[in-house]
Amino acid sequence: MKKFFIRTFVFLLVGTFFGNCIYTELRSPGLAANMTQYVMTSEDYQILGPVETQGEFVSWFLLVVTGETGYSELLKQAREKGGDDIINYRFEVRQKSILLIVWNRVIWNASAIAIKYKDKIKK
């Protein structure tokens, strides 16, 4: 009878500890880079408008990873609008995982402002 209680206690302890690791779902804003290395004024660039994208990446056993990168997609859209760069970009991240390392899926939404530098900055 004593072994039964010990086994039950160990099972409950392990189940409590690892119960939240079996499947998790997290949604949070990503890091925002709202500062630049250069001091610019609104006379240095022209705002072309917002650019937005979304995507996902999936990993299995932390070895196989598929998906896209958001920053490069935002920059590509800005260049399609005739822009040179992006500013004030933000990411929102939603993550789902099974046993933390077996399977991870991250869905992200990204947005930024496309800008075009004026001639005096390009020189």
Side-chain angles (χ1 to χ4, degrees):
M1 188 70 154
K2 185 177 179 181
K3 287 184 180 181
F4 173 75
F5 286 117
I6 292 173
R7 288 179 184 163
T8 304
F9 177 73
V10 169
F11 179 73
L12 290 174
L13 183 65
V14 169
T16 301
F17 182 74
F18 288 110
N20 292 330
C21 297
I22 292 174
Y23 179 80
T24 59
E25 184 171 350
L26 172 69
R27 182 176 184 163
S28 63
L31 297 175
N34 291 326
M35 58 185 202
T36 183
Q37 297 176 348
Y38 304 100
V39 177
M40 295 189 313
T41 65
S42 59
E43 297 172 354
D44 297 332
Y45 60 89
Q46 174 187 2
I47 295 176
L48 300 178
V51 289
E52 296 179 349
T53 187
Q54 63 182 3
E56 72 177 21
F57 66 88
V58 179
S59 70
W60 293 274
F61 301 105
L62 300 177
L63 297 173
V64 179
V65 179
T66 62
E68 309 138 2
T69 58
Y71 185 85
S72 61
E73 183 63 30
L74 290 172
L75 196 55
K76 179 182 170 188
Q77 286 185 19
R79 291 203 170 123
E80 287 173 358
K81 285 186 167 188
D84 298 315
D85 207 351
I86 59 173
I87 59 173
N88 296 339
Y89 56 91
R90 289 182 283 176
F91 289 85
E92 178 185 277
V93 178
R94 289 176 284 164
Q95 177 182 4
K96 296 179 181 182
S97 65
I98 296 175
L99 288 176
L100 297 177
I101 63 167
V102 174
W103 176 81
N104 286 299
R105 178 180 179 206
V106 176
I107 301 170
W108 49 265
N109 296 320
S111 63
I113 304 293
I115 62 169
K116 181 166 184 64
Y117 294 118
K118 295 193 176 172
D119 289 336
K120 66 179 182 176
I121 293 294
K122 290 182 181 180
K123 293 179 181 180

